[in-house]
């Protein structure tokens, strides 16, 4: 993420001009924007012309600059864009004011966001700017007969491919080198700066030897890690052990995996943790929260007025911030976020135990 400009405007608002540079940045913006915000950017809009000088064309697409009052935000991951919908409040064509429009924000599209920024939202922007310096990382987990390849993103780890290679005996049994060759081909096609090769036993060492012999340049990107599982569970182990942090400055999901494990341990011991909106709100009032954990989509629902909590989530976050607590917004796209969902979407690690 690149911040191009920042300006204070009347009413205690601030206008920040940002340029998202990756799919991660678009995801971050989807968690920053909320109903009522003003978002401006270049767009194309179909406009009907029907006057004495020009015949009615039925609607021509024209370039214009619009500012919309946000109603809805959708992170369209597979379309590589962020859809920001709302009513046009300012426009380079006055006859378009009041109409509904959707801004399709893509990588390297500059947009202006004007709002009363909350502390966690400004922190997320800072994280997005810092994360732009991090290398791209792939995690390959391999065991006898199977391999999985995930990419690490700020919004979660996503499986790119799953490979199988039967190693049984018999006339039609496949050689394990076929699996290694397929894995090598997949990794060679990926544009990443580092690869973590993980899994149980010695299979990963054999896979590494195959890659080293057949694609030595690729082998230079690899770091090996021992895990007891492959696939999603293996990736979780890699993140929990901080292996990604060795090749990438602190990543969001690595921290989430560590925090959710710490939370579950504290809950199991009946110690310094609480979960659910009522328990967290009580802890916030006492100033007992060291780290607040909340899931991004639940936070959006509550801020957008579609939630079920009978307390103001904005007031809760402000209380935590004012009393020195950290706020971590989890991605619902990844396993730690799903675990937090099962606890009501919000939890807290405490400074001391509440009786």
């Amino acid at each position: 993420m690149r911040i191009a400009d920042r300006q204070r405007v009347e009413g205690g608002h601030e206008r920040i001009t940002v340029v998202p540079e990756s799919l991660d940045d678009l995801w971050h913006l989807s968690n920053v924007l909320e109903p009522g915000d003003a978002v401006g950017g270049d767009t194309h809009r179909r406009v009907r012309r029907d006057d004495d000088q020009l015949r009615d064309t039925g609607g021509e697409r024209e370039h214009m600059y619009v500012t919309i009052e946000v109603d809805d935000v959708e992170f369209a991951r597979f379309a590589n864009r962020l859809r920001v919908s709302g009513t046009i409040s300012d426009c380079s064509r006055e006859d378009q004011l009041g109409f509904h429009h959707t801004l399709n924000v893509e990588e390297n599209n500059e947009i202006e966001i004007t709002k009363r920024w909350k502390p966690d939202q400004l922190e997320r922007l800072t994280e997005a700017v810092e994360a732009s310096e991090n290398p791209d990382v792939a995690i390959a987990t391999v065991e006898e007969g199977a391999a999985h390849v995930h990419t690490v993103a700020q919004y979660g780890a996503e499986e790119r491919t799953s490979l199988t290679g039967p190693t049984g005996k018999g006339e039609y049994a496949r050689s394990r080198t076929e699996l290694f060759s397929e894995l090598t081909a997949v990794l060679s096609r990926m544009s990443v700066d580092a690869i973590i090769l993980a899994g149980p036993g010695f299979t990963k060492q054999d896979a590494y030897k195959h890659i080293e012999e057949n694609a030595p340049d690729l082998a230079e990107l690899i770091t090996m890690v021992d895990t007891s599982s492959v696939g999603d569970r293996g990736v979780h182990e890699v993140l929990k052990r901080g292996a990604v942090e060795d090749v990438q400055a602190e990543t969001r999901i690595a921290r989430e995996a560590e925090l959710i494990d710490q939370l579950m341990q504290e809950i199991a011991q009946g110690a310094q943790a609480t979960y659910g909106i009522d328990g967290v709100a009580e802890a916030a009032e006492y100033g007992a929260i060291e780290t607040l954990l909340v899931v991004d989509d639940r936070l959006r629902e509550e801020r957008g007025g579609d939630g079920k909590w009978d307390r103001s989530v904005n007031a809760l976050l402000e209380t935590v911030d004012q009393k020195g607590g950290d706020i971590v917004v989890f991605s619902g796209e990844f396993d730690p976020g799903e675990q937090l969902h099962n606890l009501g979407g919000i939890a807290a690690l405490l400074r001391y135990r509440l009786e």
Side-chain angles (χ1 to χ4, degrees):
M1 185 88 72
R2 180 167 59 85
I3 296 179
D5 189 37
R6 297 184 70 159
Q7 300 179 39
R8 290 285 182 181
V9 295
E10 60 183 24
H13 291 62
E14 185 176 9
R15 179 180 298 119
I16 301 181
T17 304
V18 301
V19 182
E21 299 175 314
S22 67
L23 189 61
D24 278 337
D25 290 343
L26 296 177
W27 173 73
H28 279 300
L29 289 177
S30 74
N31 288 283
V32 163
L33 297 175
E34 55 191 321
D37 292 349
V39 177
D42 288 303
T43 188
H44 287 82
R45 181 171 171 81
R46 194 172 297 280
V47 179
R48 288 178 61 91
R49 293 184 179 275
D50 191 8
D51 55 32
D52 295 337
Q53 285 74 37
L54 296 171
R55 66 182 179 84
D56 182 8
T57 63
E60 296 180 350
R61 294 185 63 81
E62 294 190 10
H63 174 266
M64 61 186 71
Y65 189 93
V66 304
T67 299
I68 64 174
E69 181 177 332
V70 177
D71 289 331
D72 186 55
V73 179
E74 179 191 359
F75 174 48
R77 183 173 67 190
F78 298 108
N80 292 335
R81 64 177 53 173
L82 179 70
R83 297 189 179 103
V84 184
S85 302
T87 304
I88 298 176
S89 59
D90 193 17
C91 185
S92 53
R93 283 186 55 117
E94 291 188 3
D95 60 346
Q96 298 302 300
L97 295 177
F99 286 98
H100 189 272
H101 186 69
T102 297
L103 281 172
N104 289 308
V105 184
E106 300 180 347
E107 294 174 22
N108 299 311
N109 288 167
E110 181 178 282
I111 61 170
E112 291 182 341
I113 305 170
T114 305
K115 61 184 294 175
R116 189 185 296 273
W117 292 83
K118 301 176 179 67
D120 63 291
Q121 295 168 341
L122 290 173
E123 183 178 347
R124 184 179 282 271
L125 277 190
T126 300
E127 288 180 3
V129 171
E130 293 173 349
S132 64
E133 303 299 323
N134 290 343
D136 294 323
V137 179
I139 300 176
T141 53
V142 61
E143 63 182 355
E144 287 296 336
H148 307 264
V149 178
H150 290 69
T151 51
V152 178
Q154 292 294 298
Y155 57 84
E158 183 175 357
E159 185 173 81
R160 293 297 182 178
T161 190
S162 178
L163 306 172
T164 58
T167 58
K169 299 179 179 179
E171 182 180 356
Y172 301 104
R174 294 172 59 192
S175 167
R176 69 204 300 257
T177 58
E178 290 184 39
L179 176 64
F180 297 158
S181 295
E182 290 182 30
L183 178 60
T184 302
V186 169
L187 294 174
S188 296
R189 291 194 295 268
M190 299 180 71
S191 178
V192 294
D193 302 299
I195 299 168
I196 295 174
L197 184 60
F202 296 100
T203 309
K204 61 182 174 297
Q205 281 90 343
D206 294 338
Y208 176 79
K209 290 178 182 178
H210 180 91
I211 294 172
E212 190 176 35
E213 292 173 0
N214 294 275
D217 290 343
L218 189 64
E220 293 180 1
L221 304 179
I222 292 177
T223 299
M224 282 192 287
V225 175
D226 289 322
T227 60
S228 60
S229 305
V230 297
D232 292 338
R233 291 179 60 187
V235 169
H236 181 76
E237 288 186 61
V238 168
L239 296 171
K240 178 181 175 182
R241 297 180 184 187
V244 173
E245 293 176 350
D246 292 338
V247 294
Q248 183 183 58
E250 182 182 2
T251 65
R252 165 175 294 271
I253 53 175
R255 187 184 183 197
E256 290 176 11
E258 180 182 349
L259 285 172
I260 201 68
D261 283 340
Q262 183 181 349
L263 177 70
M264 300 307 291
Q265 289 174 10
E266 294 288 350
I267 291 174
Q269 296 168 4
Q272 296 174 200
T274 187
Y275 59 93
I277 185 61
D278 292 332
V280 170
E282 180 184 9
E285 290 300 322
Y286 281 109
I289 294 180
E290 182 174 2
T291 306
L292 177 72
L293 319 177
V294 60
V295 182
D296 54 9
D297 48 7
R298 192 61 185 268
L299 183 58
R300 283 197 301 272
E301 288 179 6
E302 297 298 328
R303 281 177 166 165
D306 298 325
K308 299 179 181 179
W309 293 342
D310 58 359
R311 301 172 185 269
S312 167
V313 69
N314 289 332
L316 174 61
L317 266 62
E318 287 175 8
T319 298
V320 173
D321 181 64
Q322 291 169 0
K323 296 188 177 183
D326 291 330
I327 299 169
V328 180
V329 182
F330 276 48
S331 167
E333 299 276 345
F334 190 57
D335 181 63
E338 293 178 4
Q339 289 181 262
L340 190 54
H341 257 304
N342 294 333
L343 296 173
I346 191 167
L349 293 165
L350 307 179
R351 296 187 174 100
Y352 51 85
R353 181 173 178 175
L354 292 177
E355 297 297 338

Coordinates of all heavy atoms in Angstrom, one line a residue, residues 5-64:
D5 N -1.2 10.9 0.0 CA -1.5 12.2 0.6 C -2.4 12.1 1.8 O -3.2 11.1 1.9 CB -2.2 13.1 -0.5 CG -2.3 14.6 0.0 OD1 -1.4 15.1 0.7 OD2 -3.4 15.2 -0.2
R6 N -2.3 13.0 2.7 CA -3.2 13.0 3.9 C -3.5 14.5 4.2 O -2.7 15.3 4.2 CB -2.5 12.4 5.2 CG -2.1 11.0 5.0 CD -1.5 10.4 6.3 NE -2.5 10.3 7.4 CZ -2.3 9.5 8.4 NH1 -1.3 8.7 8.5 NH2 -3.3 9.4 9.4
Q7 N -4.8 14.7 4.4 CA -5.3 16.1 4.7 C -6.3 16.1 5.8 O -7.3 15.2 5.8 CB -5.9 16.7 3.5 CG -5.0 16.9 2.3 CD -5.7 17.5 1.1 OE1 -6.5 18.4 1.3 NE2 -5.5 17.0 -0.1
R8 N -6.3 17.0 6.7 CA -7.3 17.2 7.7 C -8.4 18.0 7.0 O -8.2 18.9 6.3 CB -6.8 17.9 8.9 CG -5.8 17.2 9.8 CD -6.6 16.1 10.6 NE -5.7 15.4 11.5 CZ -6.1 14.4 12.3 NH1 -7.4 14.1 12.3 NH2 -5.2 13.8 13.0
V9 N -9.7 17.6 7.3 CA -10.8 18.3 6.7 C -11.8 18.6 7.9 O -11.6 18.1 9.0 CB -11.5 17.5 5.6 CG1 -10.6 17.3 4.4 CG2 -12.0 16.1 6.1
E10 N -12.8 19.4 7.6 CA -13.7 19.9 8.7 C -14.5 18.7 9.2 O -14.6 17.7 8.6 CB -14.6 20.9 8.1 CG -15.5 20.5 7.0 CD -16.4 21.6 6.4 OE1 -16.0 22.8 6.6 OE2 -17.4 21.3 5.8
G11 N -14.9 18.9 10.5 CA -15.7 17.9 11.1 C -15.0 16.8 11.8 O -15.5 15.8 12.1
G12 N -13.6 17.0 12.0 CA -12.8 16.0 12.6 C -12.5 14.8 11.7 O -12.0 13.8 12.2
H13 N -12.7 15.0 10.4 CA -12.4 13.9 9.4 C -11.0 14.1 8.8 O -10.4 15.2 8.9 CB -13.5 13.9 8.3 CG -14.8 13.5 8.7 ND1 -15.6 14.2 9.7 CD2 -15.6 12.5 8.3 CE1 -16.7 13.6 9.8 NE2 -16.8 12.5 9.0
E14 N -10.5 13.1 8.2 CA -9.3 13.1 7.5 C -9.4 12.5 6.1 O -10.0 11.4 6.0 CB -8.2 12.4 8.3 CG -6.8 12.6 7.7 CD -5.7 11.9 8.5 OE1 -6.0 11.3 9.5 OE2 -4.5 12.1 8.2
R15 N -8.8 13.1 5.1 CA -8.9 12.6 3.8 C -7.5 11.9 3.5 O -6.5 12.6 3.5 CB -9.2 13.6 2.7 CG -9.2 13.1 1.3 CD -9.5 14.2 0.3 NE -10.9 14.7 0.5 CZ -11.1 16.0 0.8 NH1 -10.1 16.8 0.9 NH2 -12.4 16.4 1.0
I16 N -7.5 10.6 3.3 CA -6.2 9.9 3.0 C -6.3 9.4 1.5 O -7.3 8.6 1.2 CB -6.0 8.8 4.0 CG1 -5.9 9.4 5.4 CG2 -4.7 8.1 3.6 CD1 -5.6 8.3 6.5
T17 N -5.4 9.7 0.7 CA -5.3 9.2 -0.6 C -4.3 8.0 -0.6 O -3.2 8.1 -0.2 CB -4.8 10.3 -1.6 OG1 -5.6 11.4 -1.5 CG2 -4.8 9.8 -3.0
V18 N -4.9 6.8 -1.1 CA -4.1 5.6 -1.0 C -4.0 5.0 -2.4 O -4.9 5.2 -3.3 CB -4.7 4.6 -0.1 CG1 -4.7 5.1 1.3 CG2 -6.1 4.1 -0.5
V19 N -3.0 4.2 -2.6 CA -2.8 3.5 -3.9 C -2.5 2.0 -3.5 O -1.4 1.6 -3.1 CB -1.6 4.0 -4.7 CG1 -1.5 3.2 -6.0 CG2 -1.8 5.5 -5.0
P20 N -3.5 1.1 -3.6 CA -3.3 -0.3 -3.4 C -2.4 -0.9 -4.4 O -2.6 -0.7 -5.6 CB -4.7 -0.9 -3.4 CG -5.5 0.1 -4.3 CD -4.9 1.4 -4.1
E21 N -1.4 -1.6 -4.0 CA -0.4 -2.2 -4.9 C -0.5 -3.7 -5.0 O 0.3 -4.3 -5.8 CB 1.0 -1.8 -4.5 CG 1.2 -0.2 -4.5 CD 2.5 0.2 -3.9 OE1 2.9 -0.3 -2.9 OE2 3.1 1.1 -4.5
S22 N -1.4 -4.3 -4.3 CA -1.5 -5.8 -4.4 C -2.9 -6.2 -4.0 O -3.7 -5.4 -3.5 CB -0.5 -6.4 -3.4 OG -0.8 -6.1 -2.1
L23 N -3.2 -7.5 -4.1 CA -4.5 -8.0 -3.7 C -4.6 -7.9 -2.2 O -5.7 -7.7 -1.7 CB -4.6 -9.5 -4.1 CG -6.0 -10.2 -4.0 CD1 -7.1 -9.5 -4.8 CD2 -5.9 -11.7 -4.4
D24 N -3.5 -8.1 -1.5 CA -3.6 -7.9 0.0 C -4.0 -6.5 0.4 O -4.8 -6.3 1.3 CB -2.2 -8.1 0.6 CG -1.8 -9.5 0.8 OD1 -2.7 -10.4 0.9 OD2 -0.6 -9.9 0.8
D25 N -3.6 -5.5 -0.4 CA -4.0 -4.1 -0.1 C -5.5 -3.9 -0.3 O -6.1 -3.2 0.5 CB -3.2 -3.1 -1.0 CG -1.7 -3.1 -0.6 OD1 -1.4 -3.5 0.5 OD2 -0.9 -2.6 -1.4
L26 N -6.0 -4.5 -1.3 CA -7.5 -4.4 -1.5 C -8.2 -5.1 -0.4 O -9.3 -4.6 0.0 CB -7.9 -5.1 -2.9 CG -7.3 -4.5 -4.1 CD1 -7.7 -5.3 -5.4 CD2 -7.7 -3.0 -4.3
W27 N -7.7 -6.2 0.1 CA -8.3 -6.8 1.3 C -8.3 -5.9 2.5 O -9.3 -5.8 3.2 CB -7.6 -8.2 1.6 CG -8.1 -8.8 2.8 CD1 -9.3 -9.4 3.1 CD2 -7.4 -8.9 4.1 NE1 -9.4 -9.9 4.3 CE2 -8.2 -9.6 5.0 CE3 -6.2 -8.4 4.5 CZ2 -7.8 -9.8 6.3 CZ3 -5.8 -8.7 5.8 CH2 -6.6 -9.4 6.7
H28 N -7.1 -5.3 2.7 CA -7.0 -4.4 3.9 C -8.1 -3.2 3.7 O -8.7 -2.9 4.7 CB -5.6 -3.7 3.9 CG -4.6 -4.6 4.5 ND1 -4.7 -5.0 5.8 CD2 -3.4 -5.1 4.1 CE1 -3.6 -5.8 6.1 NE2 -2.9 -5.9 5.1
L29 N -8.2 -2.7 2.5 CA -9.2 -1.6 2.3 C -10.6 -2.1 2.6 O -11.4 -1.3 3.1 CB -9.1 -1.0 0.9 CG -7.8 -0.2 0.6 CD1 -7.8 0.2 -0.8 CD2 -7.7 1.0 1.5
S30 N -10.9 -3.3 2.3 CA -12.3 -3.8 2.5 C -12.6 -3.8 4.0 O -13.8 -3.8 4.4 CB -12.4 -5.2 1.9 OG -11.7 -6.2 2.7
N31 N -11.6 -3.9 4.8 CA -11.8 -3.9 6.3 C -11.6 -2.5 6.9 O -11.9 -2.3 8.1 CB -10.7 -4.8 7.0 CG -11.0 -6.3 6.7 OD1 -11.9 -6.8 7.3 ND2 -10.3 -6.9 5.8
V32 N -11.2 -1.5 6.1 CA -11.1 -0.1 6.5 C -12.4 0.6 6.2 O -12.9 1.4 7.0 CB -9.9 0.5 5.9 CG1 -10.0 2.1 6.0 CG2 -8.6 0.1 6.5
L33 N -13.0 0.4 5.0 CA -14.2 1.1 4.6 C -15.4 0.6 5.2 O -15.6 -0.6 5.5 CB -14.3 1.0 3.0 CG -13.2 1.5 2.2 CD1 -13.4 1.2 0.7 CD2 -13.0 3.0 2.4
E34 N -16.3 1.5 5.5 CA -17.6 1.2 6.1 C -18.7 2.2 5.6 O -18.4 3.2 5.1 CB -17.5 1.3 7.7 CG -16.9 2.6 8.2 CD -16.6 2.6 9.6 OE1 -17.3 1.9 10.4 OE2 -15.6 3.2 10.0
P35 N -20.0 1.8 5.8 CA -21.1 2.6 5.4 C -20.9 4.1 5.9 O -20.6 4.3 7.1 CB -22.3 1.9 5.9 CG -21.9 0.5 6.0 CD -20.5 0.5 6.4
G36 N -21.2 5.0 5.0 CA -21.1 6.4 5.4 C -19.8 7.1 5.0 O -19.7 8.3 5.0
D37 N -18.8 6.3 4.7 CA -17.5 6.9 4.3 C -17.6 7.5 2.9 O -18.5 7.1 2.1 CB -16.4 5.8 4.2 CG -16.0 5.3 5.6 OD1 -16.4 5.9 6.6 OD2 -15.3 4.3 5.6
A38 N -16.8 8.5 2.6 CA -16.8 9.1 1.3 C -15.5 8.6 0.6 O -14.4 8.7 1.1 CB -16.7 10.6 1.4
V39 N -15.7 8.0 -0.6 CA -14.7 7.4 -1.4 C -14.7 8.0 -2.8 O -15.7 7.9 -3.5 CB -14.8 5.9 -1.5 CG1 -13.6 5.3 -2.4 CG2 -14.7 5.3 -0.1
G40 N -13.6 8.6 -3.2 CA -13.5 9.2 -4.6 C -12.5 8.5 -5.4 O -11.4 8.1 -5.0
G41 N -12.8 8.4 -6.7 CA -11.9 7.9 -7.7 C -12.3 8.0 -9.1 O -13.5 8.4 -9.4
D42 N -11.4 7.8 -10.0 CA -11.7 7.8 -11.5 C -12.6 6.6 -11.8 O -12.3 5.5 -11.3 CB -10.5 7.8 -12.3 CG -9.7 9.1 -12.2 OD1 -10.4 10.1 -12.6 OD2 -8.5 9.1 -11.8
T43 N -13.5 6.8 -12.7 CA -14.4 5.6 -13.1 C -15.0 5.9 -14.5 O -14.7 7.0 -15.1 CB -15.5 5.5 -12.1 OG1 -16.2 4.3 -12.4 CG2 -16.5 6.6 -12.1
H44 N -15.7 5.0 -15.0 CA -16.5 5.1 -16.2 C -17.9 4.8 -15.9 O -18.2 3.9 -15.2 CB -16.0 4.2 -17.3 CG -14.7 4.6 -17.9 ND1 -13.4 4.3 -17.3 CD2 -14.4 5.3 -19.1 CE1 -12.4 4.8 -18.1 NE2 -13.0 5.4 -19.1
R45 N -18.8 5.7 -16.5 CA -20.2 5.5 -16.2 C -21.0 5.7 -17.4 O -20.7 6.6 -18.3 CB -20.6 6.5 -15.1 CG -22.1 6.5 -14.7 CD -22.4 7.4 -13.5 NE -23.8 7.5 -13.2 CZ -24.5 6.6 -12.6 NH1 -23.9 5.4 -12.2 NH2 -25.8 6.7 -12.4
R46 N -22.0 4.9 -17.6 CA -22.9 5.0 -18.8 C -23.8 6.2 -18.7 O -24.6 6.2 -17.7 CB -23.6 3.7 -19.0 CG -24.3 3.6 -20.4 CD -24.9 2.2 -20.6 NE -23.8 1.2 -20.6 CZ -23.0 0.9 -21.6 NH1 -23.1 1.6 -22.8 NH2 -22.1 -0.1 -21.5
V47 N -23.8 7.1 -19.6 CA -24.6 8.3 -19.6 C -25.4 8.4 -20.9 O -24.9 8.3 -22.0 CB -23.7 9.6 -19.4 CG1 -24.5 10.8 -19.4 CG2 -22.8 9.5 -18.2
R48 N -26.7 8.6 -20.7 CA -27.6 8.8 -21.8 C -27.6 10.3 -22.2 O -27.7 11.2 -21.4 CB -29.0 8.4 -21.5 CG -29.2 6.9 -21.4 CD -30.6 6.6 -20.9 NE -31.6 7.1 -21.9 CZ -32.0 6.3 -23.0 NH1 -31.6 5.1 -23.1 NH2 -32.9 6.8 -23.8
R49 N -27.5 10.5 -23.5 CA -27.6 11.9 -24.1 C -28.8 12.0 -24.9 O -29.0 11.2 -25.8 CB -26.3 12.2 -24.9 CG -25.0 12.3 -24.1 CD -23.9 12.7 -25.1 NE -22.6 12.8 -24.4 CZ -22.2 13.9 -23.7 NH1 -23.0 15.0 -23.7 NH2 -21.1 14.0 -23.1
D50 N -29.6 13.0 -24.7 CA -30.9 13.2 -25.4 C -31.2 14.6 -25.5 O -32.0 15.2 -24.6 CB -32.0 12.4 -24.8 CG -33.2 12.3 -25.7 OD1 -33.1 12.7 -26.8 OD2 -34.2 11.8 -25.2
D51 N -30.6 15.4 -26.4 CA -30.9 16.8 -26.5 C -31.0 17.2 -28.0 O -31.0 16.4 -28.9 CB -29.9 17.7 -25.8 CG -28.5 17.4 -26.3 OD1 -28.3 17.0 -27.4 OD2 -27.6 17.5 -25.4
D52 N -31.2 18.5 -28.3 CA -31.4 18.9 -29.7 C -30.2 18.7 -30.5 O -30.3 18.6 -31.8 CB -31.8 20.4 -29.7 CG -33.2 20.6 -29.0 OD1 -33.9 19.6 -28.9 OD2 -33.4 21.7 -28.5
Q53 N -29.0 18.8 -29.9 CA -27.8 18.7 -30.7 C -27.3 17.3 -30.9 O -26.7 17.0 -31.9 CB -26.7 19.5 -30.1 CG -26.8 21.0 -30.2 CD -27.9 21.6 -29.3 OE1 -28.1 21.1 -28.2 NE2 -28.7 22.5 -29.8
L54 N -27.5 16.4 -30.0 CA -27.0 15.1 -30.1 C -28.1 14.0 -30.0 O -29.0 14.1 -29.2 CB -26.1 14.8 -28.9 CG -24.8 15.6 -28.8 CD1 -24.1 15.4 -27.5 CD2 -23.9 15.3 -30.0
R55 N -28.1 13.1 -30.9 CA -29.1 12.0 -30.9 C -28.9 11.1 -29.7 O -27.8 11.0 -29.2 CB -29.0 11.2 -32.2 CG -27.8 10.4 -32.3 CD -27.8 9.7 -33.7 NE -26.6 8.9 -33.8 CZ -26.4 7.7 -33.4 NH1 -27.3 7.1 -32.7 NH2 -25.2 7.0 -33.6
D56 N -30.0 10.5 -29.2 CA -29.9 9.6 -28.1 C -29.1 8.4 -28.5 O -29.4 7.6 -29.4 CB -31.3 9.2 -27.7 CG -31.3 8.3 -26.4 OD1 -30.2 8.1 -25.9 OD2 -32.4 7.8 -26.1
T57 N -28.0 8.1 -27.8 CA -27.1 7.0 -28.1 C -27.5 5.8 -27.3 O -26.9 4.7 -27.6 CB -25.7 7.3 -27.8 OG1 -25.6 7.6 -26.3 CG2 -25.2 8.6 -28.5
G58 N -28.5 5.9 -26.4 CA -28.8 4.7 -25.6 C -27.9 4.6 -24.4 O -28.0 3.6 -23.6
G59 N -26.9 5.4 -24.3 CA -26.0 5.4 -23.2 C -24.5 5.1 -23.6 O -24.2 4.0 -24.1
E60 N -23.7 6.1 -23.4 CA -22.3 5.9 -23.7 C -21.5 6.0 -22.4 O -21.8 6.7 -21.5 CB -21.8 7.0 -24.6 CG -22.4 7.0 -26.0 CD -22.0 8.2 -26.9 OE1 -21.2 9.1 -26.3 OE2 -22.3 8.2 -28.1
R61 N -20.4 5.2 -22.4 CA -19.6 5.1 -21.2 C -18.6 6.3 -21.2 O -17.9 6.5 -22.2 CB -18.8 3.8 -21.1 CG -19.7 2.6 -20.8 CD -18.9 1.3 -20.6 NE -18.1 1.4 -19.4 CZ -18.5 1.2 -18.2 NH1 -19.8 0.9 -18.0 NH2 -17.7 1.3 -17.2
E62 N -18.6 7.1 -20.2 CA -17.8 8.3 -20.1 C -16.9 8.3 -18.9 O -17.3 7.8 -17.8 CB -18.6 9.6 -20.1 CG -19.4 9.8 -21.3 CD -20.1 11.2 -21.3 OE1 -19.7 12.0 -20.4 OE2 -20.9 11.5 -22.2
H63 N -15.7 8.8 -19.1 CA -14.8 8.9 -18.0 C -15.2 10.0 -17.1 O -15.5 11.1 -17.6 CB -13.3 9.1 -18.4 CG -12.3 9.3 -17.3 ND1 -12.0 10.6 -16.9 CD2 -11.7 8.4 -16.5 CE1 -11.1 10.5 -15.9 NE2 -10.9 9.2 -15.7
M64 N -15.1 9.8 -15.8 CA -15.4 10.9 -14.8 C -14.8 10.6 -13.5 O -14.5 9.4 -13.2 CB -17.0 11.1 -14.7 CG -17.7 9.9 -14.2 SD -19.5 10.2 -14.3 CE -19.8 10.2 -16.1

